[in-house]
PDB file of all heavy atoms in Angstrom:
ATOM      1  N   ARG D 150     -10.730   2.043 -18.130  1.00 91.00           N
ATOM      2  CA  ARG D 150      -9.857   0.837 -17.984  1.00 91.00           C
ATOM      3  C   ARG D 150      -8.905   0.704 -19.158  1.00 91.00           C
ATOM      4  O   ARG D 150      -7.732   0.473 -18.980  1.00 91.00           O
ATOM      5  CB  ARG D 150     -10.681  -0.381 -17.783  1.00 91.00           C
ATOM      6  CG  ARG D 150      -9.875  -1.662 -17.699  1.00 91.00           C
ATOM      7  CD  ARG D 150     -10.746  -2.869 -17.342  1.00 91.00           C
ATOM      8  NE  ARG D 150     -11.847  -3.077 -18.299  1.00 91.00           N
ATOM      9  CZ  ARG D 150     -12.820  -3.876 -18.030  1.00 91.00           C
ATOM     10  NH1 ARG D 150     -12.900  -4.566 -16.881  1.00 91.00           N
ATOM     11  NH2 ARG D 150     -13.808  -4.085 -18.908  1.00 91.00           N
ATOM     12  N   ALA D 151      -9.460   0.834 -20.355  1.00 92.00           N
ATOM     13  CA  ALA D 151      -8.616   0.723 -21.559  1.00 92.00           C
ATOM     14  C   ALA D 151      -7.534   1.787 -21.576  1.00 92.00           C
ATOM     15  O   ALA D 151      -6.338   1.495 -21.922  1.00 92.00           O
ATOM     16  CB  ALA D 151      -9.473   0.779 -22.827  1.00 92.00           C
ATOM     17  N   CYS D 152      -7.917   3.000 -21.263  1.00 92.00           N
ATOM     18  CA  CYS D 152      -6.932   4.115 -21.268  1.00 92.00           C
ATOM     19  C   CYS D 152      -5.831   3.901 -20.230  1.00 92.00           C
ATOM     20  O   CYS D 152      -4.663   4.268 -20.449  1.00 92.00           O
ATOM     21  CB  CYS D 152      -7.674   5.436 -21.004  1.00 92.00           C
ATOM     22  SG  CYS D 152      -8.730   5.958 -22.361  1.00 92.00           S
ATOM     23  N   ARG D 153      -6.152   3.343 -19.088  1.00 92.00           N
ATOM     24  CA  ARG D 153      -5.167   3.100 -18.070  1.00 92.00           C
ATOM     25  C   ARG D 153      -4.100   2.129 -18.567  1.00 92.00           C
ATOM     26  O   ARG D 153      -2.922   2.204 -18.175  1.00 92.00           O
ATOM     27  CB  ARG D 153      -5.811   2.557 -16.764  1.00 92.00           C
ATOM     28  CG  ARG D 153      -6.605   3.642 -16.012  1.00 92.00           C
ATOM     29  CD  ARG D 153      -7.048   3.168 -14.654  1.00 92.00           C
ATOM     30  NE  ARG D 153      -7.871   4.137 -13.961  1.00 92.00           N
ATOM     31  CZ  ARG D 153      -7.324   5.191 -13.281  1.00 92.00           C
ATOM     32  NH1 ARG D 153      -6.043   5.308 -13.172  1.00 92.00           N
ATOM     33  NH2 ARG D 153      -8.157   6.054 -12.718  1.00 92.00           N
ATOM     34  N   TRP D 154      -4.434   1.204 -19.373  1.00 92.00           N
ATOM     35  CA  TRP D 154      -3.453   0.281 -19.950  1.00 92.00           C
ATOM     36  C   TRP D 154      -2.426   0.982 -20.833  1.00 92.00           C
ATOM     37  O   TRP D 154      -1.348   0.468 -21.040  1.00 92.00           O
ATOM     38  CB  TRP D 154      -4.187  -0.789 -20.806  1.00 92.00           C
ATOM     39  CG  TRP D 154      -4.949  -1.761 -19.954  1.00 92.00           C
ATOM     40  CD1 TRP D 154      -5.173  -1.750 -18.617  1.00 92.00           C
ATOM     41  CD2 TRP D 154      -5.628  -2.934 -20.434  1.00 92.00           C
ATOM     42  NE1 TRP D 154      -5.936  -2.799 -18.249  1.00 92.00           N
ATOM     43  CE2 TRP D 154      -6.225  -3.557 -19.313  1.00 92.00           C
ATOM     44  CE3 TRP D 154      -5.824  -3.513 -21.693  1.00 92.00           C
ATOM     45  CZ2 TRP D 154      -7.000  -4.767 -19.375  1.00 92.00           C
ATOM     46  CZ3 TRP D 154      -6.570  -4.660 -21.752  1.00 92.00           C
ATOM     47  CH2 TRP D 154      -7.150  -5.270 -20.681  1.00 92.00           C
ATOM     48  N   TYR D 155      -2.786   2.143 -21.311  1.00 93.00           N
ATOM     49  CA  TYR D 155      -1.898   2.914 -22.177  1.00 93.00           C
ATOM     50  C   TYR D 155      -1.284   4.168 -21.487  1.00 93.00           C
ATOM     51  O   TYR D 155      -0.724   4.978 -22.172  1.00 93.00           O
ATOM     52  CB  TYR D 155      -2.656   3.363 -23.430  1.00 93.00           C
ATOM     53  CG  TYR D 155      -2.871   2.174 -24.437  1.00 93.00           C
ATOM     54  CD1 TYR D 155      -3.968   1.322 -24.184  1.00 93.00           C
ATOM     55  CD2 TYR D 155      -1.970   1.917 -25.407  1.00 93.00           C
ATOM     56  CE1 TYR D 155      -4.170   0.242 -25.000  1.00 93.00           C
ATOM     57  CE2 TYR D 155      -2.213   0.828 -26.268  1.00 93.00           C
ATOM     58  CZ  TYR D 155      -3.266   0.022 -26.076  1.00 93.00           C
ATOM     59  OH  TYR D 155      -3.501  -1.087 -26.907  1.00 93.00           O
ATOM     60  N   GLY D 156      -1.392   4.172 -20.163  1.00 92.00           N
ATOM     61  CA  GLY D 156      -0.707   5.257 -19.419  1.00 92.00           C
ATOM     62  C   GLY D 156      -1.557   6.315 -18.771  1.00 92.00           C
ATOM     63  O   GLY D 156      -1.045   7.264 -18.116  1.00 92.00           O
ATOM     64  N   TYR D 157      -2.907   6.215 -18.921  1.00 90.00           N
ATOM     65  CA  TYR D 157      -3.743   7.180 -18.263  1.00 90.00           C
ATOM     66  C   TYR D 157      -3.621   7.115 -16.802  1.00 90.00           C
ATOM     67  O   TYR D 157      -3.569   6.055 -16.152  1.00 90.00           O
ATOM     68  CB  TYR D 157      -5.197   6.993 -18.697  1.00 90.00           C
ATOM     69  CG  TYR D 157      -6.200   7.852 -17.911  1.00 90.00           C
ATOM     70  CD1 TYR D 157      -6.369   9.169 -18.301  1.00 90.00           C
ATOM     71  CD2 TYR D 157      -6.814   7.393 -16.775  1.00 90.00           C
ATOM     72  CE1 TYR D 157      -7.297  10.013 -17.597  1.00 90.00           C
ATOM     73  CE2 TYR D 157      -7.721   8.165 -16.088  1.00 90.00           C
ATOM     74  CZ  TYR D 157      -7.902   9.514 -16.455  1.00 90.00           C
ATOM     75  OH  TYR D 157      -8.719  10.361 -15.749  1.00 90.00           O
ATOM     76  N   GLN D 158      -3.553   8.336 -16.108  1.00 89.00           N
ATOM     77  CA  GLN D 158      -3.523   8.451 -14.675  1.00 89.00           C
ATOM     78  C   GLN D 158      -4.594   9.431 -14.175  1.00 89.00           C
ATOM     79  O   GLN D 158      -5.046  10.307 -14.940  1.00 89.00           O
ATOM     80  CB  GLN D 158      -2.163   8.909 -14.191  1.00 89.00           C
ATOM     81  CG  GLN D 158      -0.976   7.911 -14.496  1.00 89.00           C
ATOM     82  CD  GLN D 158       0.356   8.399 -14.074  1.00 89.00           C
ATOM     83  OE1 GLN D 158       0.634   9.634 -14.298  1.00 89.00           O
ATOM     84  NE2 GLN D 158       1.141   7.585 -13.524  1.00 89.00           N
TER      85      GLN D 158
END
Side-chain angles (χ1 to χ4, degrees):
R150 174 172 58 191
C152 290
R153 287 187 181 280
W154 288 6
Y155 287 83
Y157 172 81
Q158 295 178 318

